[in-house]
Amino acid sequence: MDTPSPSTASTTAHAVGYNDEPSITAAPLRSTDDLAVDAGQLSSLILTTEATATPQRIVESVTSLTSSGILAEGQRMPTVRDLARLLRTSPATVSSAYHALARSGILRSRGRAGTFVLRQSRTHRYDAGDLLAEAPATAPDRPIIDLSKGTPDLSLLPDIRPFLGKLGTHKAFVNSYDGPTILPMLEQILRRNWPYEPEAMTMASGAGDGLAHTMNAFVQPGDFVITEAPEYPLILDMIEAHGAMAFGVPMDGFGMLPDALDRALTMLESQRLAVPHGGHQVSMILLQPRAQNPTGASFSPQRIDALADVLLAHYPNGVGMPLIVEDDHSGDVANAYATSLAQRLP
């Protein structure tokens, strides 16, 4: 089916990168019935890249819209048939998504009255009495906290407006062609705890944006990108979107296994040499040095040394070594010290 593009969606939100939430620029979706969600506007905000809308995409979109306040508490969702018709998909697909959202505490069905958005704020402070009291496991008004995205609860973040106000009329230099690529004060702070001395720094709009720019510059169609296995699914989507092939290497609680990386490099290099005029090359090795998503693993100094030994054995003095990208997405929030292969490699 033809899916709505971001340009045709309502101006209440726009999609920005695979790891970011929608940006709110207007009030919650409303129809002429003050309680009802406008089905047409909602369908235009269901973010999908597949040929047809899937239950997972509907769940992801509705969850983002509720957490960002575009869908408000007490609003009535469109009927299954109405939303299915606008998304050009089957009622069973929408029904499956609604059931999943109900299990997660996002929506609640009230029979013939319709399906409604539940309250999502989590500002209640629990005391010892709350912890000892046993609540019914199936309580429909107790939402399940979704930890899969690894992003902070918006209700727990501080208000940054007072800090922005202190900037006054100062203009950032990073928007000019001849200015720095990162604010000097920010770069100074980052360098204090960086695991190695970087030659240069730049700034991107989140980990996803940084990865996208890096792949645009270094990954060609047909290349191999070595990743950890398991890997964050949307990273695999990005690799596929560049026409490249992800090659997963097993890992344990300390990161990618050195022996497995050795076997992978040996196999991929032998395949390349077996093809006349050279086969597909390994253009990138993509790692998450700490708080790996989805396993939570973090590199130890010993694992860093072992991986560096493997890479230097295949690429003496670093000659011909693929680009190594470390996606340290959680930064200092992670419960581990910063480590990097750049402590051993060029």
Side-chain angles (χ1 to χ4, degrees):
M1 89 173 189
D2 293 330
T3 55
S5 65
S7 62
T8 62
S10 165
T11 56
T12 54
H14 65 277
V16 288
Y18 81 91
N19 224 11
D20 304 297
E21 297 295 328
S23 173
I24 309 168
T25 58
L29 301 178
R30 298 285 185 186
S31 70
T32 53
D33 178 349
D34 195 46
L35 281 178
V37 175
D38 184 277
Q41 288 185 338
L42 177 62
S43 66
S44 69
L45 292 175
I46 300 295
L47 307 178
T48 176
T49 57
E50 288 85 2
T52 58
T54 63
Q56 179 64 23
R57 282 295 189 181
I58 297 173
V59 168
E60 291 173 353
S61 299
V62 172
T63 300
S64 294
L65 293 172
T66 54
S67 64
S68 58
I70 296 174
L71 288 175
E73 174 191 359
Q75 284 192 286
R76 185 172 65 246
M77 295 290 290
T79 66
V80 167
R81 291 190 178 279
D82 283 348
L83 188 56
R85 175 177 53 81
L86 290 167
L87 291 176
R88 300 180 187 175
T89 189
S90 69
T93 296
V94 178
S95 178
S96 176
Y98 274 20
H99 279 95
L101 289 162
R103 289 193 300 270
S104 298
I106 305 296
L107 303 179
R108 183 182 182 184
S109 174
R110 297 178 184 170
R112 294 188 177 183
T115 300
F116 293 82
V117 179
L118 291 175
R119 181 174 63 88
Q120 298 303 306
S121 64
R122 303 179 180 94
T123 56
H124 177 70
R125 302 297 181 186
Y126 292 96
D127 55 27
D130 292 318
L131 296 175
L132 294 174
E134 290 190 9
T138 57
D141 58 346
R142 184 181 291 272
I144 298 173
I145 300 175
D146 183 6
L147 301 179
S148 64
K149 293 182 176 61
T151 53
D153 186 332
L154 296 180
S155 66
L156 301 180
L157 295 178
D159 185 357
I160 66 170
R161 285 174 293 184
F163 302 97
L164 294 177
K166 292 181 180 180
L167 295 177
T169 57
H170 293 292
K171 186 176 181 180
F173 300 108
V174 293
N175 291 327
S176 63
Y177 288 110
D178 57 351
T181 56
I182 187 171
L183 294 173
M185 289 180 64
L186 176 59
E187 180 174 359
Q188 182 181 12
I189 292 172
L190 290 173
R191 284 179 177 271
R192 292 175 187 171
N193 296 322
W194 212 259
Y196 62 93
E197 184 61 32
E199 293 184 16
M201 285 186 163
T202 190
M203 187 166 54
S205 300
D209 185 53
L211 284 175
H213 285 305
T214 306
M215 289 187 187
N216 286 341
F218 292 96
V219 176
Q220 300 294 324
D223 286 354
F224 282 107
V225 176
I226 292 180
T227 70
E228 296 154 330
E231 178 61 276
Y232 183 48
L234 289 179
I235 290 181
L236 301 178
D237 291 342
M238 294 175 67
I239 295 172
E240 182 180 3
H242 282 79
M245 295 168 285
F247 193 97
V249 176
M251 57 181 297
D252 61 12
F254 297 103
M256 185 178 287
L257 295 171
D259 290 345
L261 175 61
D262 183 32
R263 290 193 298 271
L265 290 172
T266 300
M267 184 178 71
L268 293 175
E269 179 64 14
S270 63
Q271 287 183 351
R272 187 182 70 82
L273 295 176
V275 177
H277 310 296
H280 301 304
Q281 67 168 345
V282 178
S283 61
M284 182 181 294
I285 300 175
L286 180 56
L287 304 168
Q288 298 181 60
R290 50 181 172 173
Q292 198 265 357
N293 189 341
T295 67
S298 296
F299 281 147
S300 66
Q302 295 79 10
R303 183 57 54 86
I304 287 286
D305 282 336
L307 290 172
D309 290 341
V310 169
L311 289 166
L312 289 173
H314 283 268
Y315 309 100
N317 299 318
V319 176
M321 186 179 296
L323 179 72
I324 298 174
V325 177
E326 295 173 332
D327 177 16
D328 189 21
H329 53 84
S330 292
D332 291 339
V333 176
N335 188 26
Y337 290 109
T339 57
S340 172
L341 280 167
Q343 295 165 316
R344 285 278 314 276
L345 302 175

